[in-house]
Amino acid sequence: MIELRHVTKQFKKSVVLDDLNLSVAAGERIALIGSNGAGKTTLIRCLLGEYVHAGELSVLGLNPRQARADLLRRIGFVPQLPPPLRMSVGDLLRFAGELSGCDAGRFDTVAAQLGLDVAKVRHLPFVKLSGGMKQKILIAVALGRDCELLILDEPAANLDPEARHAFFGLLAERLGRATMLISSHRLDEVAPLVNRVLELDMGRIVLDDRVADDVALAGKVRCRLILRRAESAIAKTLGEWGLSGDADQLVWQGAIAGPDRLRFLGMLARYVGVLTHIEMEEQA
């Protein structure tokens, strides 16, 4: 699926990828983690054929530089930063459909699952959309067609909790049919989505580990919280996560996406002085 042999990428005197050797088999779900500057984005751009480099690199049996057009038809890619495209949303989706040989209506369907009605924004320039809308369009383009490889760079960063749950469900539909490479600078963002973790540091692989593969991507976790006192900051945050409070704003209940449990607990850690009780139970 993906093979790297002594891949090195250098910008002037700065070595960004340092003699990487890596094999990724079909069907694996890889978390690519590391701090900013670790080499994650550079590696992704090499896989997509954007950069020349030393060493040998093969993706889906093809050389990314020599067969880039053919390769990109078989890859779904969500970039970390949305491109500043001035074309309308409708033109973008039509162009993406023609390029991939896919019915553009499938993109509308995926966007709707993420909570975006494409009909309402079809006439707008892509660059004028909100961050969340741009992310939903880019995910729709990547997941709205049949791809053998998904490369997702911080894919859920701008999504609201309901859209994140829908996104995880869309990934669940691809299990066994697509290899996934999901990049993030935080392991808790992606750990429940993957079965293998690769960590880059200063252009080298410093961790390559298999992880438990027992989280239902489309599942939900029922949460119940009791607060010591009502506070507007945590109330606003819990509301954004889709939880609802009682009349006194002391008891909060709701459900979150299963893969978001670590991220949710990380958020709660900021309010530990206000919390007196936490219940979390995975729903069947």
Side-chain angles (χ1 to χ4, degrees):
M1 176 59 74
I2 298 175
E3 295 287 340
L4 283 76
R5 292 291 177 265
H6 305 292
V7 170
T8 298
K9 177 60 183 174
Q10 190 168 338
F11 294 100
K12 295 184 178 180
K13 294 183 179 180
S14 177
V15 177
V16 183
L17 299 179
D18 190 359
D19 194 36
L20 292 187
N21 292 282
L22 174 66
S23 293
V24 175
E28 286 193 288
R29 303 194 308 279
I30 310 290
L32 181 63
I33 64 170
S35 59
N36 291 333
K40 302 187 305 296
T41 299
T42 300
L43 174 57
I44 287 174
R45 288 181 176 177
C46 288
L47 295 174
L48 295 173
E50 294 182 26
Y51 288 159
V52 295
H53 54 79
E56 298 179 4
L57 173 56
S58 170
V59 179
L60 299 175
L62 301 173
N63 182 303
R65 292 290 294 177
Q66 297 174 0
R68 191 167 184 233
D70 291 338
L71 183 63
L72 293 181
R73 291 189 184 97
R74 301 166 63 185
I75 295 178
F77 173 54
V78 178
Q80 180 180 8
L81 298 176
L85 300 176
R86 297 192 175 279
M87 67 173 67
S88 71
V89 171
D91 287 343
L92 171 60
L93 297 181
R94 185 163 48 253
F95 173 74
E98 292 173 355
L99 191 66
S100 62
C102 172
D103 177 8
R106 293 176 62 180
F107 304 147
D108 294 34
T109 300
V110 174
Q113 290 177 265
L114 295 168
L116 177 64
D117 185 352
V118 172
K120 294 182 179 179
V121 299
R122 189 178 299 276
H123 64 288
L124 296 176
F126 177 80
V127 73
K128 295 294 185 181
L129 300 181
S130 68
M133 288 180 176
K134 291 176 183 175
Q135 197 76 351
K136 290 174 183 179
I137 291 293
L138 294 174
I139 291 173
V141 170
L143 299 186
R145 53 200 182 94
D146 296 324
C147 298
E148 298 167 65
L149 174 62
L150 292 172
I151 299 179
L152 313 173
D153 196 353
E154 302 280 1
N158 293 313
L159 298 182
D160 57 84
E162 281 303 311
R164 287 175 67 91
H165 182 246
F167 170 64
F168 299 144
L170 289 165
L171 290 185
E173 295 174 4
R174 298 300 185 95
L175 294 180
R177 295 193 291 117
T179 302
M180 304 180 194
L181 182 67
I182 307 175
S183 175
S184 178
H185 66 284
R186 292 179 51 181
L187 180 57
D188 65 340
E189 291 275 351
V190 295
L193 306 177
V194 302
N195 53 24
R196 183 179 175 188
V197 176
L198 294 173
E199 182 176 1
L200 285 181
D201 184 35
M202 299 185 68
R204 287 181 171 270
I205 296 175
V206 296
L207 174 70
D208 184 352
D209 196 17
R210 305 284 172 175
V211 297
D213 190 15
D214 57 358
V215 175
L217 295 185
K220 283 203 169 189
V221 175
R222 173 67 59 181
C223 304
R224 182 174 183 270
L225 312 174
I226 300 177
L227 308 185
R228 191 182 310 277
R229 58 184 180 276
E231 284 198 3
S232 59
I234 189 172
K236 180 176 182 296
T237 300
L238 293 176
E240 291 172 348
W241 274 87
L243 276 67
S244 57
D246 64 0
D248 297 322
Q249 301 286 281
L250 294 179
V251 179
W252 289 78
Q253 300 185 74
I256 63 169
D260 259 344
R261 68 188 74 192
L262 291 179
R263 185 168 173 264
F264 182 71
L265 288 171
M267 176 277 295
L268 291 181
R270 303 200 302 266
Y271 304 101
V272 66
V274 184
L275 291 160
T276 64
H277 182 83
I278 300 173
E279 290 180 25
M280 297 179 69
E281 181 180 6
E282 190 166 7
Q283 293 182 326

